[in-house]
Every structure is written in C-alpha cells, then in structure tokens.
Amino acid sequence: MAKRRIVDLHLHSSASDGTDSPKELVAVAERAGVTTMALMDHDVLDGVEDARTAAIAAGITLISGTELSVQHGDAKMHMLVYFLEPTAGPLQDKLGWLRQGRNERNLAIIENLNRAGYTITIDDVRAKAAGRSIGRPHIADALVERGYFDHRDAAFVDLLGDGGTVYVERERFKAEEAIELARTSGAVPVIAHPYTIRAGHQEYTRIFKDLTNAGLGGIEAHHSAHAPELRIRLTEIAHALGLAATGGSDYHGAGKRDYGVGVGKGDLRVPPSAVDELEAQRGQ
Ligand code: AMP
Ligand code: FE
Ligand code: FE
Ligand code: ZN
C-alpha cells in the first residue's frame, strides 16, 4: 500500500509568531511524516528561503505563503495567501506597510499596558521576536518574561485578546483588496479558520459568496477549532462555490499549546486532495 500523504497547509515559524525557526519547523514536519507543508507566517515571507532549503533536503514539498488580517464590512478575518513567493510583486511590496502598522500598534498597546501598571518596553518585546513581523504574541511573551503570566495564552484572556482591555486595532486590508493583490501576485487567497468570523449562517453565506465573486480561491475547512461536522459542512460549501477546501494545524510551536504539526489537536486529517484543489486554483 502507498504511504499515506500527510498534509499541513497552515504553519507558523519564528519569522512571525511561531517559536520554531523555519529550519526547525521543517524538521518537526519531517518527524511527523508530513509530505506537503505550507509556511504561512503573518505579514512576512522571510522564513521561506530557509524553510525551502530544509524542505528540499527532507524531500518535503514546501508551499510558500502568508497570513493576512482583513476586513469585510464589519467582519474581521484572517486570509491565507498560498504560493506567494518572496520576490517583488503587488502584494509582496505591501507587506512592509502592514508590518509598519503592526509596529505602531505594538507601541500603542505597550502605552496602554504601562498605563494599566504593567512594566514593559518595546525592547522587551523586540527581544522576544526573531524576525520582522512582531505582534501581540511577542508582547504576551514579554509579559511572561516579566513574570505577569505563566504562558502566552494567559496574557490574551483579558488583556491582549480582541476586545481585551489594552487591545488596539491596526491597519487592515479590505478582504477584496487582499484577494485582488493576491491574485495579481500569482497567489491563491483562502479564508482562514472561518470560526473566528463569529457570524451566523446567513452572514457566512453572504461573505463566502461576496468573496468568491471577488476571486477567493478557497476556505480553510479542516482546522482543529472546527467541530468535525463543521469541517464537513465547510468542505461542502467550498466545493459548491467551486473553491478549494483546505486545512492545516495552525501550529505555532510552543506558542500555542496542544497544536501539533500534521495533527492539530490530534484529530486533524487534511485530505491530500486539498493540495490538488489549491493547485487547480492557481491558474484561475
Ligand atoms: P496579531 O498578529 O498581533 O494581531 O496577533 C494575533 C496572533 O495572536 C494570532 O495569530 C495568534 O497567533 C495569537 N492569538 C490570538 N488570539 C489568541 C489567544 N486568545 N490566545 C493565544 N494566542 C492568540
Ligand atoms: Fe499567529
Ligand atoms: Fe489565523
Ligand atoms: Zn495562523
């Protein structure tokens, strides 16, 4: 019998808020038996070159990409952009602007934290980041280092999470703008973990349809935060719209507890056909 293909299309390295370097991430994927992996660091492509070198040596197919934060009307969501290469290009050239927005927002969050009595500086935060895409997880890590919390997650609960007491919004693309930029850059835009949109059924349907008309290429159906029935439902919705149904662990190394490469919270099985569906979207 042929060896089972293990696919993980949503991984983070220390180029953004994961804790494994791109090279270490590939080693973890190799141990997990992964045959195709996608590096999806937030707003940055800096990990791709090292990950690719390691992936070639390990015989793993590496898909490059990034994860953006976007907005459609009032709905906020993450968008995975597959096959985005670390070269010049319409979307690639805008990533620096997004990271600048992160830096400004990080300073505003730190001001809020200082006002709330937390002693923390931007240098503490920078010391926690290995790369150029710095965000709330690194602020959380700096708060852990200062002894305020025992893990990154705990700092998100009341403080750093969306709507938390020190939360600050940041510049985002409109979803349609991100889709257009992704497509003109030769990449495939996919709505990440739709559970985070927190919308009702009708609202979801409208968002998926709007964005399909705008050039969306897929929906991330297989994610450990989705109940098994939701994974099936989202796969059906994606296919009915002619989109790829993708999936991945959203692994962040030690930064996100209980999420393993290739298996998510243990029950994740991304169908290898997800890769073929994504590939088919490339030419469209
Ligand atoms: P940022 O990119 O700065 O907006 O931070 C968002 C990142 O923080 C996400 O990609 C996750 O890695 C992490 N994150 C978001 N919500 C939580 C949470 N409730 N607990 C732990 N990490 C979180
Ligand atoms: Fe993240
Ligand atoms: Fe995400
Ligand atoms: Zn992610």
Side-chain angles (χ1 to χ4, degrees):
M1 210 172 82
K3 202 171 143 220
R4 192 167 83 84
R5 281 167 73 196
I6 300 178
V7 166
D8 193 330
L9 302 176
H10 191 157
L11 297 161
H12 294 269
S13 78
S14 58
S16 67
D17 59 355
T19 57
D20 297 345
S21 71
K23 191 174 164 204
E24 286 163 351
L25 180 64
V26 173
V28 174
E30 187 180 14
R31 284 200 293 277
V34 168
T35 50
T36 301
M37 62 187 281
L39 181 66
M40 305 306 293
D41 279 314
H42 304 276
D43 301 338
V44 82
L45 295 162
D46 293 346
V48 173
E49 199 184 328
D50 282 357
R52 185 157 283 149
T53 304
I56 289 169
I60 295 174
T61 302
L62 182 98
I63 298 174
S64 57
T66 187
E67 182 173 17
L68 305 174
S69 301
V70 306
Q71 185 147 4
H72 183 61
D74 290 336
K76 288 177 191 162
M77 66 196 91
H78 284 176
M79 190 162 284
L80 298 162
V81 181
Y82 290 98
F83 308 114
L84 191 72
E85 288 293 328
T87 56
L91 177 54
Q92 293 92 324
D93 296 351
K94 293 241 157 59
L95 297 179
W97 173 77
L98 293 175
R99 293 192 300 267
Q100 183 55 32
R102 285 182 166 279
N103 293 338
E104 287 163 18
R105 177 224 215 175
N106 291 338
L107 290 172
I109 292 177
I110 289 166
E111 259 183 50
N112 284 348
L113 281 166
N114 293 158
R115 234 176 268 134
Y118 295 90
T119 305
I120 179 179
T121 68
I122 187 64
D123 288 335
D124 296 339
V125 176
R126 287 205 189 102
K128 288 289 163 195
R132 294 189 294 168
S133 176
I134 306 177
R136 287 179 288 161
H138 305 104
I139 299 176
D141 291 347
L143 288 166
V144 170
E145 176 90 29
R146 287 261 184 185
Y148 292 112
F149 297 98
D150 64 3
H151 187 268
R152 183 187 274 193
D153 295 344
F156 272 85
V157 177
D158 296 317
L159 216 52
L160 293 171
D162 297 18
T165 50
V166 301
Y167 182 78
V168 176
E169 245 316 322
R170 70 180 172 101
E171 296 280 357
R172 288 167 179 266
F173 282 128
K174 289 198 171 72
E176 283 155 337
E177 203 180 351
I179 289 169
E180 170 74 18
L181 283 165
R183 288 294 191 178
T184 54
S185 304
V188 178
V190 171
I191 295 178
H193 42 62
Y195 79 96
T196 53
I197 305 175
R198 301 191 199 294
H201 178 74
Q202 268 192 326
E203 174 78 351
Y204 272 116
T205 310
R206 189 182 61 78
I207 293 171
F208 293 152
K209 273 198 187 138
D210 282 359
L211 298 186
T212 299
N213 290 334
L216 187 71
I219 296 173
E220 188 179 49
H222 300 274
H223 191 285
S224 279
H226 295 160
E229 312 81 67
L230 182 59
R231 298 177 203 174
I232 294 167
R233 180 84 190 107
L234 287 168
T235 300
E236 288 168 356
I237 292 172
H239 290 166
L241 291 166
L243 303 176
T246 72
S249 63
D250 211 354
Y251 174 81
H252 283 68
K256 202 165 180 175
R257 286 184 283 201
D258 308 328
Y259 278 72
V261 173
V263 294
K265 283 192 164 181
D267 66 337
L268 191 78
R269 297 288 177 275
V270 181
S273 54
V275 178
D276 309 325
E277 292 174 23
L278 258 189
E279 289 278 3
Q281 279 289 328
R282 250 180 128 168
Q284 294 184 24

